Amino acid sequence: MAAPARVGLRRWLSSRAPAPRICVVGSGPAGFYTAQHILKHHDLAQVDIYEKLPVPFGLVRFGVAPDHPEVKNVINTFTHTARSDRCAYYGNVTVGRDVTVGELQQAYHAVVLSYGAEDNRVLGIPGENLSGVYSARAFVGWYNGLPENRDLKPDLSCETALILGHGNVALDIARILLSPLDFLRKTDITDCSLAALACSKVKRVWLAGRRGPLQVAFTIKELREMINLPGTQPVLNPADFTGLENAVKDAPRPRKRLTELMIKTALEKHREKAVMAQAAVPRQWGLKFQRSPQEVLPTADGMRVRGVRMALTRLEGSGDSAKAVPTGDMEELECGLVLSSIGYRSLPLDPAVPFDTQHSIIPNNLGRVMGVPGIRPVSFSEWEKIDAAEVARGKAAGKPREKIVDPQEMLQLIGH
């Protein structure tokens, strides 16, 4: 058992007051918000937070884009929580290796698993492992200083990059790749990442998704930032938005505003592009819709990426539930850098914790882990209920007591 867990166990065993002791595994936003809520609503509760890295804050530190410092202000709230007399932080402790979940269950009244999604979803297509293909998680971790990604050294020597995905993370990566260096120098981006970006040859970034404009997952704030990025030109095809003005009339306001901004940008930038045809071409970015990656294409030597073969799709259904179905038509998009931004997935934490490998989740019912009996200690007053029952049964048989020998019967007797 790791030292912090032993400390927690001693603290629990020596406590005179019936103060609930809670263990939170993971010090990202979910972990700290959990701790904050517990401390706010339970005056006697004690919370211990365990983190595998020496430093706290998870995705706030390692996931939020360096040019979004306002999002990181929540660290101030988390710091206030961590400084509470009823909260303890134990960094550099890996649950499942340094201490088991079983040991934590013995030491605490409750164990909350908020360790996040530590891996990326895979494309599952040929060529995915070629040099020049990276997961968004690894790339974001690289420029944000996540220790496991510090040696990534992405090759930025090509002119065209392809990002697979239409979420906020995809836009973050595109913005970092195309941002003026003076912008990035004022952020907390790592020095090695800044040096690599200073030498980058990337001047064109495509973001491709399987579905259409009405299904993009990014939000209007991130899109507007990208549109207004100095020294860059959006390339949106007006034909992709034909008829969508009517389609979004009754859509929820966020979706309507987002679509209207894309339509406005497509029409305006299309006209500007014609005017700028003779001028120097700035850095560009664009959205490609209804394209599903089928194969990452290798260079002649078979070592690096030279492009991606995409299946054109049509949509069945509408709105968020629309499904992309291949039409049978294909196209190839040339690029020397591919970044897969199709989501993260969780990994198993401990053999004692059930894990659904198909969906990469811990099976749960409203948050309570399924398949693991919760530890409910028997208090002395509850023992006295068992004692009274034994004495009553014994009296009926003319004996001092009739001992109950089945532990399950004992627990049922006291309502456990």
Side-chain angles (χ1 to χ4, degrees), residues 188-328:
D188 65 357
I189 193 170
T190 62
D191 282 345
C192 67
S193 303
L194 190 63
L197 290 167
C199 300
S200 171
K201 299 292 192 295
V202 176
K203 63 179 183 180
R204 188 180 305 105
V205 178
W206 297 112
L207 298 93
R210 294 178 298 111
R211 301 192 293 172
L214 295 183
Q215 289 79 37
V216 295
F218 50 71
T219 50
I220 195 167
K221 175 182 179 293
E222 281 69 22
L223 176 63
R224 188 177 288 116
E225 280 182 322
M226 200 69 211
I227 292 170
N228 296 326
L229 189 64
T232 65
Q233 179 188 33
V235 181
L236 278 68
N237 185 352
D240 289 332
F241 302 92
T242 302
L244 292 191
E245 286 181 317
N246 290 329
V248 295
K249 278 185 178 178
D250 299 322
R253 187 167 180 268
R255 175 65 67 185
K256 182 180 179 182
R257 292 178 61 229
L258 178 63
T259 306
E260 289 172 345
L261 179 58
M262 285 190 285
I263 294 172
K264 178 174 180 284
T265 303
L267 296 175
E268 286 183 354
K269 299 304 177 181
H270 186 70
R271 288 192 290 267
E272 288 180 15
K273 187 178 179 182
V275 175
M276 296 175 62
Q278 304 302 319
V281 179
R283 292 181 168 189
Q284 297 179 326
W285 66 274
L287 301 172
K288 290 186 176 292
F289 300 104
Q290 293 179 232
R291 285 163 170 82
S292 177
Q294 302 298 301
E295 180 182 3
V296 180
L297 303 171
T299 51
D301 61 7
M303 300 298 292
R304 287 193 46 78
V305 55
R306 67 167 177 86
V308 176
R309 180 174 290 118
M310 315 277 281
L312 274 58
T313 67
R314 58 181 174 81
L315 296 184
E316 289 187 352
S318 60
D320 292 339
S321 61
K323 293 185 177 181
V325 179
T327 64

Side-chain angles (χ1 to χ4, degrees), residues 13-24:
L13 292 174
S14 62
S15 175
R16 294 181 180 178
R21 297 207 46 77
I22 313 298
C23 165
V24 175

Side-chain angles (χ1 to χ4, degrees), residues 8 73 105 115 144 211 217 286 298 324 374 387:
N73 288 337
Q105 287 180 287
Y115 63 97
N144 271 332
R211 301 192 293 172
D387 175 56

Side-chain angles (χ1 to χ4, degrees), residues 72-154:
K72 302 185 183 187
N73 288 337
V74 72
I75 285 177
N76 298 327
T77 302
F78 296 163
T79 298
H80 179 76
T81 298
R83 288 175 175 169
S84 167
D85 292 339
R86 295 188 290 122
C87 183
Y89 170 78
Y90 298 111
N92 200 37
V93 177
T94 299
V95 173
R97 185 192 68 187
D98 303 323
V99 59
T100 68
V101 171
E103 289 171 326
L104 294 177
Q105 287 180 287
Q106 293 291 335
Y108 295 92
H109 292 95
V111 177
V112 179
L113 304 178
S114 58
Y115 63 97
E118 298 182 290
D119 199 9
N120 55 277
R121 292 180 181 170
V122 296
L123 293 166
I125 61 175
E128 186 173 7
N129 296 319
L130 286 172
S131 178
V133 182
Y134 307 94
S135 71
R137 185 184 184 280
F139 194 78
V140 170
W142 169 71
Y143 65 65
N144 271 332
L146 183 62
E148 68 185 72
N149 301 126
R150 66 185 183 274
D151 298 322
L152 188 68
K153 296 183 176 62

Side-chain angles (χ1 to χ4, degrees), residues 128-182:
E128 186 173 7
N129 296 319
L130 286 172
S131 178
V133 182
Y134 307 94
S135 71
R137 185 184 184 280
F139 194 78
V140 170
W142 169 71
Y143 65 65
N144 271 332
L146 183 62
E148 68 185 72
N149 301 126
R150 66 185 183 274
D151 298 322
L152 188 68
K153 296 183 176 62
D155 186 345
L156 306 178
S157 62
C158 64
E159 290 191 355
T160 302
L162 172 64
I163 301 173
L164 300 171
H166 279 166
N168 280 341
V169 173
L171 282 185
D172 281 347
I173 292 173
R175 196 176 63 252
I176 294 298
L177 283 171
L178 298 177
S179 282
L181 287 177
D182 287 344

